[in-house]
Amino acid sequence: MKEEEEEEEEEEKGEQEHEAQAEEPPSGQIFHPLLSKFNLVVNWEYRFLIWEVCQEGVEKQEIKGHLKQSHKGEIYKVNYTHLARVIEKLKVVSPLPTIKGPHSPVKGLPVVAAQACHLCPVVLSSPKAMQNHYTQKHKDKPKKSNECKAQRLCKLGFGTHHKLWEVKGEPTQEREHLHEDLVNKLMKDIEKDLKVVVTSSDAHVVSPLLLKTGWHKYVTKNSLAENISGWRKLVSLPTAEETQWKGLRGATEAYFKKAVDLIDHMDILVLKHLNSPDPVKHGICNQPFQCHMHADTMKKYIIPVIALLCMSFRLHGSELFGPHEDVRNSILRLQALLDGDEEQDMVVKQIHSVLLRLWTINWNKRDFGELTIADPTEHCLALLMLKESGEFKEPKELTSLISKFEYCIHLTFLWEIHDRVSQKKEDREEACIELQYWFTENNYSTLASLCSLQHMASAFAYDTPGLPRILWADTENWRSLYYQGNLITFDEICQIFKDTERKLIETWEKKVLGGLSLSIPCKAIVDNLTNKDVGHSFLFDAKNTAFKDHTHLIHEVIRGKGSFGKFVVVREGSLRWNVRALHGWLKGYAELNKLLLLRAAMLTRAPARGQDKFIPHGLDAITSDILLQDLALARPSAETAAQICFSPPVTQLYKDHLFINYDRLFTSADLSRCSHLHQFLETLQTAWKHKFKCSEREIMEIDQTEDADALQAGHLCSTENHIYGLSTTALAGAAEDVLPLYLHASTTWQKHCNVVPGGNLLPYHEVDVQATQTSTAEQTINMDDLAQRVATYLAPQFSMSTTLPLAASLDMDDLAKRVAVHLAPMLANMVDNSIKTAVASLTQK
C-alpha cells in the first residue's frame, strides 16, 4: 500500500513536470520519476523508450519480458499498471521507429565504431562483415569501405531495429571516456553527506473471567453459536465489498495521529491527570501521559477502535444503542461522509464526535431489555475475544485489547480538552476537571468498566498456573528437550549457528562487497565508553586512524570494479546512478544486517530492540569482525545509496540505527522468518544457559553476597556496590569489575555452542584456523590422566616438585567429578590405615 501511494505521487509529479516541459530538453530525453526507478527514459525526438543500463530501445509491451530475462538478479517490485499509464501519457510510440542514416546522434543510444559501404547505405560493425557484404552484393565493384560512427536501436538479433545507421556530427561521450574530474566531483559531494555528528453454561467448566463478565450467557441467549463466523464478522475490518467504508481506516489513523501530535503541545499537568487512573485514591500520577516510542505501534492500537466503528455501522439499526438516538444519528452522519467521499478533515472531526459520544454515556443495562452487554465498547470487546470455534480466548489476550482501547480513549479526551481550550476558550484546568469523570476509574463510564475488566483479567492471568513448555529428554547431559511436544537437540541449535555463519560470510563477500577483496586491518580500537555526545563513535575517533577514510567501497563502486560494473553510467557529461542496481544492493545489505542481528540475538541473547538500560554483551569472533568491517566499509555506501533511492526519513535510519531492513527497521517477525527456531529460541537459550551455568542469573548474585570489606565500612555489600559503582544496577553504567562478568556469560555460551568467542580482533577468515588449533590442543589432554594426577596432588604423599599440565580452557565440572572418583579409594585407604593404627595402639596398651 505504501509503495503504491509513493508511485502515485511520483506519477503525478512526473505529469506536472511533463506538462511544464514544452520544449526539447538539452539532453534530448524525457525523465519521469517512475520511469527512472527502472532506468527508463523517453527519447524526445522519436518518442520511444530507452533502457539506460542496456543502452538500447525497448518496446513498451516488452518491458515485463525484458525485466525477467535480462535483469533477473535485480530485485524490485513493479506495478505494471502505473507504468503503463505513465508510458501512455508520455505518448510513447509502438513499434520502434525506423531510422535511416546519415543522421545526427540519437540521444540516449550509444555511438559505436563501424564500417560504411561506399556503394549503398549499409553500415556494418566490423571490417570482416563488410568484406562479406562486398563479396555478396558488389562482386565486380572495388572493395572500399569507410570508417564511421554508427548507432542502432537494439544490439542483438536481426531485423530493421538491429541495423546500424551512420551518424554525422559530434558523438556523445561514452563510459570508457570516464574523466577523473567527474569522479573527483562526485566523491566530494559524497564525502559532504557522510559527515555524521461455543460456550457451556456449566459453572464448573466455564472460566472465572466469563463467570464475572457473563459473555458466555450473551452467546447462548442470542444463539450466536449457530452462526459464530457471522457474528465475528461484525467486528472485522471493512471488506472488499464494503467499498463505502474504504476510507475509514485511513481517517481513523489520521485522527489518532493528530491526537498524538497534541501531546507535545499540551500542558504537563493535563497529561498527568490523563495518566492518573484513580486520583482520589492514589493522587495525581507524576508520570505524564505520553506517546509510544515507535510510531508504528499506534497503527496496531487503532485496530480495536476501527472494529468498534465497523460494528456500529453494521448494527446501527438494531438495539445496540438503546434509547440513545443521538449516538445512532452520529454514526449515520459518519457513514454518509465516508460514502460521499468527503474531505478527510470532515471525516476525522466526525470520528471524534462519534467516539466522544460513545465514551461519555452511562450505559445502563436497564435501558437494553434482555441484552446482556449494554456498553457498545464492551460488546465489541466480547466479539473480538470470540474464537471461530465458539470459545473465548484466554484472559491474557484480553488485557492487550483493553490496553489499546484505554490508550485510544485517553487520546480522544486529550483532543476534546484541546478543542475546548482552543475553540471554546475554556480554561484547560476546568476542561480537564469537567471531563475527568469519564477517563478515571470507579465511575459509571466506559473507561471505568474497561479498567475493572483489566484488573480481573490480569489477576486471572497471573493466578492461573501454566503448564511447562519445556520437558527435558536428556536429564544427564542436558543435550535434548521437548518444546511444546517437539524434540529439539542442542546439536540442532549449534547447526543453526554454523549455517548462519556460512551464509553471513557469503552475503558479505558476494552481495555487499561484490567480490572485491576489501578489508580494514585493525589490531586495536580506541573507544571512550563514557562519551555520550550525539554522533560519537569509535569510527570517527581521530585516534583510530584505520577508519579515517570512509569511501573505500564507494570509490570501487564508482569505478565499476567487481560486480559493480553497471552501477554508474555516464550521460551527457555527467555521472548517473543505476537506481535499480542500488535497490538490489540495498536488498543484499539488508540481508547482511538481518544475519548480523540474528547472530547477535542468538549468541549473546541480546534483544533486537532495547531501551531500558545498558547491558553488555559479547559478540563472537566472526560476527564482531564483519560488523566492524560493515560499519567502516559498507555503511557509508549504504547511506549514499539510501539518499538516492529513498526519502529523507528512510535515509536518516541508516545514520541513526545499527541494523536496517532496506527501508525500515527490523521486527521480531523478520527474525522469525529467517530461522524456524528463532521464534522460541529465547526460551530455549534460557533453559540451556541455566543448565550450562552461563546465565546472567549467576552474575546478579554478586550483589547478594557480603564481604568483610563492606561490613567493616559499616554497610551492606549491595549498598557499597550501588554507591561506588560496582553494581549491575549502577546508574552510571556497568563498572569495570562487573563488565567482564557479563562478557564471560556471553563467551561461555558461545563456547558451548562451538562458536569462537570474540575479543581478539581476528579477521573472520582467520577465525576457523584458530578454532582448529585450539580444538586440536584440547583434544591432546587426557582428562582421566589429568584427574588422576590432580587426585595424587591432593593426597598427603604428593611430591610438590611435580607439575600439572593444566590448559586454559577445561570443563572444570567434568574434571572435578573425575578427581572425586580417583580420590575416593585414596581417602578410603587413609581411613582404613588410621583405624588400624588406632586399634594397634590400643591393643599394645
Side-chain angles (χ1 to χ4, degrees):
M1 185 67 69
K2 180 180 178 182
E3 293 180 355
E4 291 180 2
E5 292 175 357
E6 291 178 354
E7 289 181 355
E8 289 176 358
E9 291 177 3
E10 292 173 351
E11 183 180 341
E12 183 179 352
K13 179 181 176 182
E15 289 175 11
Q16 295 173 356
E17 294 176 356
H18 176 59
E19 291 173 359
Q21 197 175 35
E23 299 179 358
E24 180 179 357
S27 63
Q29 301 170 68
I30 303 173
F31 297 95
H32 189 282
L34 187 58
L35 295 181
S36 297
K37 281 189 173 183
F38 311 101
N39 291 103
L40 285 170
V41 296
V42 178
N43 178 273
W44 175 275
E45 183 180 3
Y46 289 102
R47 295 281 172 163
F48 68 94
L49 287 169
I50 299 176
W51 214 292
E52 283 193 298
V53 177
C54 304
Q55 294 185 300
E56 61 182 7
V58 60
E59 296 277 8
K60 57 184 181 181
Q61 60 269 24
E62 295 178 357
I63 292 177
K64 187 173 183 179
H66 185 84
L67 275 174
K68 290 183 178 180
Q69 293 181 7
S70 304
H71 303 269
K72 294 179 181 178
E74 299 174 5
I75 308 170
Y76 196 84
K77 293 182 179 179
V78 183
N79 190 320
Y80 292 103
T81 303
H82 287 171
L83 192 61
R85 193 160 57 221
V86 169
I87 292 173
E88 188 67 27
K89 290 178 180 179
L90 293 178
K91 300 178 181 180
V92 174
V93 298
S94 182
L96 292 174
T98 301
I99 304 175
K100 297 181 179 180
H103 196 286
S104 58
V106 177
K107 300 297 179 65
L109 296 178
V111 178
V112 298
Q115 301 287 323
C117 179
H118 72 288
L119 299 175
C120 66
V122 171
V123 178
L124 299 175
S125 59
S126 65
K128 183 177 180 181
M130 184 55 67
Q131 291 295 327
N132 293 335
H133 170 72
Y134 277 113
T135 302
Q136 295 175 6
K137 303 295 183 180
H138 312 292
K139 291 184 179 180
D140 302 329
K141 303 293 183 179
K143 299 179 180 180
K144 180 183 177 182
S145 61
N146 300 320
E147 293 183 355
C148 68
K149 297 294 183 180
Q151 288 180 306
R152 57 183 166 190
L153 290 170
C154 302
K155 297 177 182 179
L156 303 175
F158 302 94
T160 305
H161 300 147
H162 303 275
K163 292 182 178 180
L164 292 163
W165 67 81
E166 188 175 355
V167 172
K168 296 295 184 182
E170 188 67 23
T172 57
Q173 187 180 19
E174 294 304 306
R175 180 182 179 86
E176 56 265 26
H177 301 129
L178 191 95
H179 290 305
E180 194 67 26
D181 54 346
L182 292 178
V183 175
N184 294 334
K185 181 178 179 300
L186 183 59
M187 290 298 300
K188 288 181 180 180
D189 294 338
I190 292 175
E191 288 174 358
K192 290 180 181 179
D193 297 331
L194 290 177
K195 292 180 179 179
V196 179
V197 183
V198 182
T199 310
S200 172
S201 58
D202 188 350
H204 294 88
V205 296
V206 177
S207 71
L209 179 63
L210 292 180
L211 290 176
K212 293 290 185 180
T213 61
W215 291 347
H216 63 297
K217 297 179 181 179
Y218 172 75
V219 171
T220 305
K221 185 176 294 185
N222 291 276
S223 301
L224 293 188
E226 300 175 2
N227 187 19
I228 292 294
S229 60
W231 283 91
R232 293 177 74 245
K233 287 180 180 179
L234 290 176
V235 290
S236 64
L237 299 183
T239 61
E241 292 78 19
E242 296 170 327
T243 55
Q244 69 275 21
W245 305 336
K246 63 181 180 180
L248 178 62
R249 181 163 189 165
T252 307
E253 186 176 334
Y255 167 68
F256 283 107
K257 184 180 184 302
K258 291 181 179 180
V260 169
D261 293 339
L262 293 175
I263 294 178
D264 294 334
H265 306 283
M266 186 56 67
D267 186 84
I268 190 169
L269 185 57
V270 175
L271 298 177
K272 287 183 177 181
H273 274 280
L274 281 171
N275 203 36
S276 303
D278 194 348
V280 175
K281 183 177 180 180
H282 302 292
I284 303 301
C285 180
N286 289 323
Q287 179 69 30
F289 182 74
Q290 58 189 4
C291 60
H292 295 111
M293 181 167 292
H294 300 282
D296 289 342
T297 304
M298 199 61 216
K299 295 181 180 180
K300 300 177 182 178
Y301 268 58
I302 66 173
I303 291 179
V305 179
I306 299 175
L308 172 61
L309 293 174
C310 289
M311 184 193 72
S312 301
F313 293 160
R314 293 159 181 152
L315 294 178
H316 70 272
S318 66
E319 298 180 355
L320 179 65
F321 306 113
H324 302 284
E325 287 296 328
D326 56 335
V327 180
R328 185 177 290 105
N329 294 333
S330 186
I331 290 290
L332 292 174
R333 171 64 177 160
L334 178 57
Q335 280 187 279
L337 290 175
L338 288 170
D339 195 21
D341 292 332
E342 297 291 341
E343 293 291 333
Q344 192 180 72
D345 287 344
M346 298 180 63
V347 179
V348 166
K349 292 179 180 179
Q350 189 60 27
I351 288 176
H352 173 70
S353 177
V354 170
L355 294 179
L356 185 67
R357 196 69 191 103
L358 283 172
W359 295 333
T360 53
I361 291 179
N362 176 12
W363 299 96
N364 197 321
K365 291 185 178 181
R366 293 178 300 178
D367 300 332
F368 293 85
E370 295 183 355
L371 187 63
T372 307
I373 306 176
D375 193 330
T377 306
E378 186 181 347
H379 192 153
C380 175
L381 198 60
L383 294 180
L384 287 172
M385 287 289 291
L386 192 62
K387 291 183 179 180
E388 191 172 355
S389 60
E391 61 181 329
F392 285 88
K393 299 175 183 177
E394 295 295 324
K396 63 180 181 181
E397 298 184 55
L398 176 62
T399 58
S400 175
L401 287 171
I402 296 178
S403 297
K404 293 178 174 65
F405 268 123
E406 289 180 351
Y407 190 82
C408 292
I409 290 175
H410 283 103
L411 285 176
T412 296
F413 285 106
L414 175 63
W415 180 298
E416 181 63 17
I417 294 172
H418 178 268
D419 269 4
R420 294 191 180 191
V421 172
S422 61
Q423 297 180 9
K424 300 179 182 180
K425 306 302 180 182
E426 293 185 16
D427 181 76
R428 57 177 176 266
E429 185 177 358
E430 292 180 0
C432 181
I433 293 175
E434 185 179 346
L435 293 169
Q436 191 172 23
Y437 178 90
W438 303 106
F439 59 78
T440 54
E441 295 186 35
N442 300 321
N443 295 315
Y444 293 104
S445 65
T446 296
L447 183 68
S449 299
L450 292 179
C451 290
S452 298
L453 287 173
Q454 183 76 299
H455 295 322
M456 285 193 298
S458 299
F460 291 138
Y462 281 115
D463 294 341
T464 304
L467 295 175
R469 288 179 290 178
I470 288 179
L471 292 175
W472 287 98
D474 180 4
T475 57
E476 183 176 351
N477 298 315
W478 315 107
R479 304 290 296 183
S480 60
L481 55 79
Y482 290 98
Y483 181 82
Q484 296 181 347
N486 300 307
L487 179 63
I488 299 176
T489 65
F490 192 68
D491 292 337
E492 291 182 74
I493 304 296
C494 295
Q495 187 59 46
I496 291 178
F497 301 147
K498 292 180 181 178
D499 293 341
T500 55
E501 178 182 303
R502 174 186 51 77
K503 193 172 182 179
L504 175 64
I505 295 175
E506 181 181 345
T507 303
W508 168 249
E509 294 178 347
K510 295 182 179 180
K511 294 187 178 182
V512 178
L513 293 185
L516 299 174
S517 298
L518 295 177
S519 64
I520 301 294
C522 183
K523 299 299 182 182
I525 296 178
V526 178
D527 191 12
N528 183 2
L529 298 179
T530 63
N531 191 330
K532 299 180 181 180
D533 295 341
V534 176
H536 169 74
S537 169
F538 69 89
L539 294 170
F540 300 97
D541 194 315
K543 298 177 183 177
N544 295 318
T545 57
F547 308 126
K548 187 176 181 181
D549 187 0
H550 303 284
T551 62
H552 290 290
L553 182 58
I554 301 177
H555 199 272
E556 299 299 317
V557 172
I558 294 176
R559 292 188 173 279
K561 302 295 184 179
S563 63
F564 301 111
K566 293 184 178 181
F567 274 60
V568 178
V569 294
V570 180
R571 293 292 177 271
E572 304 298 328
S574 63
L575 293 175
R576 291 180 57 81
W577 288 99
N578 182 348
V579 182
R580 284 177 50 77
L582 290 178
H583 275 285
W585 186 85
L586 286 173
K587 287 284 188 178
Y589 186 72
E591 185 176 346
L592 175 78
N593 277 244
K594 178 179 66 177
L595 293 170
L596 287 171
L597 180 56
L598 180 63
R599 286 181 66 84
M602 293 193 304
L603 287 170
T604 69
R605 205 190 167 192
R609 297 187 300 182
Q611 300 86 23
D612 295 335
K613 58 185 178 180
F614 170 68
I615 300 178
H617 297 276
L619 296 173
D620 65 281
I622 290 180
T623 304
S624 58
D625 182 60
I626 293 184
L627 181 59
L628 181 65
Q629 299 296 328
D630 166 35
L631 295 174
L633 286 173
R635 181 52 65 93
S637 301
E639 292 180 13
T640 302
Q643 283 187 326
I644 298 168
C645 299
F646 302 125
S647 58
V650 177
T651 304
Q652 193 63 32
L653 294 178
Y654 282 82
K655 297 179 181 293
D656 296 341
H657 296 271
L658 187 61
F659 303 108
I660 308 296
N661 187 12
Y662 185 52
D663 59 351
R664 57 188 176 86
L665 298 179
F666 282 98
T667 63
S668 300
D670 295 324
L671 296 181
S672 297
R673 283 192 290 268
C674 63
S675 172
H676 71 286
L677 285 179
H678 180 266
Q679 53 189 331
F680 45 83
L681 190 60
E682 182 176 355
T683 304
L684 299 179
Q685 276 186 312
T686 303
W688 263 305
K689 293 178 80 171
H690 175 65
K691 294 302 181 184
F692 293 155
K693 297 183 180 180
C694 53
S695 65
E696 293 85 346
R697 182 184 305 174
E698 296 182 359
I699 298 173
M700 305 306 291
E701 292 175 356
I702 295 174
D703 283 349
Q704 301 174 4
T705 58
E706 307 300 335
D707 58 30
D709 293 336
L711 296 175
Q712 286 176 341
H715 50 240
L716 299 178
C717 186
S718 58
T719 305
E720 180 177 274
N721 289 343
H722 182 73
I723 294 177
Y724 299 105
L726 300 176
S727 171
T728 55
T729 59
L731 298 178
E736 68 279 0
D737 291 340
V738 177
L739 182 60
L741 299 176
Y742 278 101
L743 301 181
H744 178 70
S746 296
T747 56
T748 305
W749 169 245
Q750 291 161 11
K751 290 177 181 178
H752 279 287
C753 298
N754 298 326
V755 174
V756 180
N760 48 19
L761 291 179
L762 276 177
Y764 67 89
H765 50 79
E766 296 181 10
V767 170
D768 289 338
V769 177
Q770 189 207 44
T772 303
Q773 293 174 349
T774 303
S775 177
T776 304
E778 291 179 353
Q779 289 174 2
T780 59
I781 299 175
N782 188 319
M783 293 293 289
D784 287 323
D785 178 64
L786 181 60
Q788 174 68 42
R789 301 177 67 177
V790 172
T792 306
Y793 174 83
L794 296 174
Q797 67 273 20
F798 175 71
S799 174
M800 298 300 293
S801 61
T802 307
T803 59
L804 296 175
L806 295 178
S809 57
L810 290 175
D811 189 338
M812 301 308 295
D813 289 336
D814 181 40
L815 181 59
K817 293 178 182 179
R818 295 172 185 258
V819 169
V821 172
H822 290 282
L823 197 59
M826 298 181 184
L827 294 175
N829 290 333
M830 291 173 60
V831 171
D832 290 342
N833 293 334
S834 299
I835 293 174
K836 290 179 181 179
T837 303
V839 171
S841 176
L842 291 173
T843 303
Q844 291 175 359
K845 291 181 180 181

